[in-house]
Amino acid sequence: MEHIENNKEFEGLTVNKGIDQPPTVNPYLNKVRTARRRTYTASEFVEAIVKGDITMLSQAVTLIESNRYEHQTLAQEVIEKCLPFSGNSVRVGITGVPGAGKSTSIDAFGLHVLERGGKLAVLAIDPSSERSKGSILGDKTRMERLAVHKRAFVRPSPSAGSLGGVARKTRETIVLCEAAGFDTIFVETVGVGQSETAVHSMVDFFLLIQLAGTGDELQGIKRGIMEMADGIVINKADGNNIEKAKLAAAQFRNALHLFPPTLSGWTPQVLTYSGYYEIGIPEVWKMVDDYVAFTRKNGFFEHKRHEQSKYWMFETINEQLKEHFYRNPEIEAMLAEKVSRVLNSDQTSFTAAKEVLDYYFNSLK
Ligand code: GDP
């Protein structure tokens, strides 16, 4: 008897025999899955990307962002094949603290650029990383008009890994976007730390968005960031904020005078504008155009790109060496043991480090 309830003693109670479960809830699901899982070869990707196929571009960027070995291998092949088609864009880095008006401004700058024709890609490097933990630059809807523009491609920051890793992925994405015909690339980052340096190392022009505030605007901005800027723009110069913005601009100009001349020979400019009310946008963009013309003429544009290529080669080597070391399970175990020995004062930091490194180098032989 299958169901005890059907025994004589439970008279008046019957339990029906259940039916067999179907082999799968949705017999078509597997079909759909296989269809979706159709993988493309590197050449298929490149062929589509060069034709400007946005879906394939997005999928290739997803490969770049993936940490799976086979995705990375394929991604590298796609990037390599796209390289000959890349380089024909103006790359602009845009930074500013949260609330400075980056997304509002990028929407306005972007539309201005697109009015002249061409295609615009907006990428981001967000050090707050993992999307699930609330990335600052991850939300596509922040740039409302660009997000729906036919000639714009807006991609949130890659999320996984170290800042170096995230930045490398963005740089690789630039190559694919250029191959797809995007002739202006914005790379946005939050002006709060190391990420500006990463962005600076992949763009032609570095734009720093600032706000007029309490009169001590120069405080709290790291000197290094100001030194990187090719242009400083004071946002929200509208309504009764115009005078304050002008004052802040004057202070920035004074501060910039104290800096040594730039390598490019270009004198960084300071302008005021309003991203929200779209005041002064063409002027800001004229500054970018002037810079590009100026540095193309004196050779700095090419020089900087060469330097950046070298930088990324060494960055990638550094990153992969570290990863190879720290991902080794034996090293991981050894490190855990060494940490406790060092903390127990059984061993000095230096001998512990030396032993781990010696072990690693020997294992390579
Ligand atoms: P982000 O965090 O740097 O991306 O800054 P948002 O673009 O999100 O802007 C932060 C806030 O400042 C929002 O409430 C915007 O509406 C406002 N804002 C941005 N640009 C301007 C501007 O030019 N003028 C004024 N008055 N407000 C602005």
Side-chain angles (χ1 to χ4, degrees):
M1 182 96 27
E2 280 177 55
H3 289 282
I4 190 169
E5 295 92 333
N6 292 344
N7 285 357
K8 269 250 162 76
E9 49 191 297
F10 298 113
E11 228 169 320
L13 187 69
T14 53
V15 176
N16 289 338
K17 190 172 181 289
I19 56 156
D20 287 338
Q21 284 298 315
T24 121
V25 180
N26 177 355
Y28 299 107
L29 189 64
N30 265 340
K31 248 191 185 168
V32 176
R33 276 202 186 135
T34 358
R36 252 204 234 134
R37 243 189 277 131
R38 152 113 170 80
T39 48
Y40 297 97
T41 64
S43 304
E44 283 173 319
F45 268 116
V46 177
E47 202 177 305
I49 289 172
V50 172
K51 279 189 196 144
D53 183 331
I54 298 296
T55 314
M56 289 291 268
L57 172 66
S58 296
Q59 283 191 28
V61 175
T62 307
L63 286 180
I64 290 181
E65 290 172 352
S66 163
N67 285 329
R68 274 176 57 185
Y69 179 75
E70 62 270 29
H71 290 169
Q72 272 303 308
T73 320
L74 182 58
Q76 290 309 321
E77 208 183 326
V78 175
I79 297 162
E80 195 91 37
K81 287 196 156 91
C82 279
L83 265 182
F85 305 101
S86 74
N88 309 318
S89 79
V90 171
R91 308 165 183 168
V92 181
I94 299 175
T95 193
V97 293
K102 289 180 298 303
S103 37
T104 314
S105 305
I106 287 175
D107 214 34
F109 293 148
L111 281 188
H112 175 73
V113 169
L114 286 169
E115 267 170 27
R116 312 192 290 196
K119 299 205 290 181
L120 167 74
V122 182
L123 313 175
I125 295 181
D126 183 352
S128 71
S129 244
E130 286 169 59
R131 269 173 216 163
S132 54
K133 286 183 194 151
S135 94
I136 308 174
L137 307 177
D139 185 359
K140 267 195 182 185
T141 55
R142 289 165 66 247
M143 294 145 208
E144 283 171 12
R145 290 173 299 174
L146 286 184
V148 295
H149 197 289
K150 274 198 184 125
R151 287 180 282 121
F153 176 69
V154 181
R155 184 89 186 183
S157 172
S159 61
S162 60
L163 172 61
V166 172
R168 176 174 55 78
K169 286 165 198 243
T170 303
R171 175 160 159 105
E172 290 172 344
T173 303
I174 292 180
V175 172
L176 300 197
C177 289
E178 288 177 348
F182 288 89
D183 51 10
T184 307
I185 316 263
F186 289 174
V187 185
E188 177 190 12
T189 195
V190 184
V192 287
Q194 288 298 305
S195 51
E196 297 85 0
T197 320
V199 173
H200 186 244
S201 62
M202 65 178 83
V203 297
D204 306 310
F205 187 96
F206 193 73
L207 187 69
L208 174 61
I209 299 182
Q210 286 292 321
L211 289 180
T214 53
D216 53 3
E217 344 345 82
L218 296 182
Q219 289 179 15
I221 311 176
K222 286 186 215 96
R223 194 193 147 99
I225 297 177
M226 260 183 84
E227 251 172 315
M228 275 192 271
D230 301 298
I232 297 179
V233 284
I234 320 288
N235 189 19
K236 309 194 187 181
D238 46 52
N240 51 18
N241 205 24
I242 294 181
E243 284 312 311
K244 268 199 224 157
K246 280 188 182 157
L247 183 67
Q251 288 178 333
F252 275 108
R253 276 186 207 111
N254 283 338
L256 283 175
H257 278 312
L258 304 174
F259 287 176
T262 57
L263 287 174
S264 57
W266 165 263
T267 313
Q269 292 183 17
V270 184
L271 300 174
T272 61
Y273 78 106
S274 165
Y276 189 82
Y277 294 100
E278 307 202 354
I279 307 165
I281 307 288
E283 287 76 6
V284 173
W285 225 254
K286 184 178 177 304
M287 165 173 69
V288 178
D289 288 339
D290 286 350
Y291 172 88
V292 172
F294 178 81
T295 52
R296 278 227 162 99
K297 201 164 167 219
N298 73 5
F300 186 79
F301 193 89
E302 274 299 298
H303 168 77
K304 189 169 175 184
R305 287 215 170 164
H306 287 158
E307 290 298 308
Q308 290 173 335
S309 298
K310 271 198 288 187
Y311 171 89
W312 282 100
M313 188 182 93
F314 287 109
E315 269 298 297
T316 308
I317 291 175
N318 293 345
E319 192 202 327
Q320 310 242 324
L321 279 178
K322 265 197 208 162
E323 213 176 282
H324 188 255
F325 176 79
Y326 285 109
R327 286 226 170 150
N328 180 327
E330 286 165 40
I331 297 290
E332 237 175 283
M334 206 171 164
L335 281 174
E337 186 224 321
K338 291 291 178 199
V339 167
S340 61
R341 292 198 62 185
V342 168
L343 294 183
N344 279 333
S345 305
D346 286 343
Q347 205 174 16
T348 70
S349 312
F350 308 103
T351 53
K354 186 175 182 310
E355 276 177 33
V356 179
L357 286 171
D358 282 348
Y359 178 85
Y360 178 69
F361 292 135
N362 279 327
S363 73
L364 296 178
K365 281 179 191 160

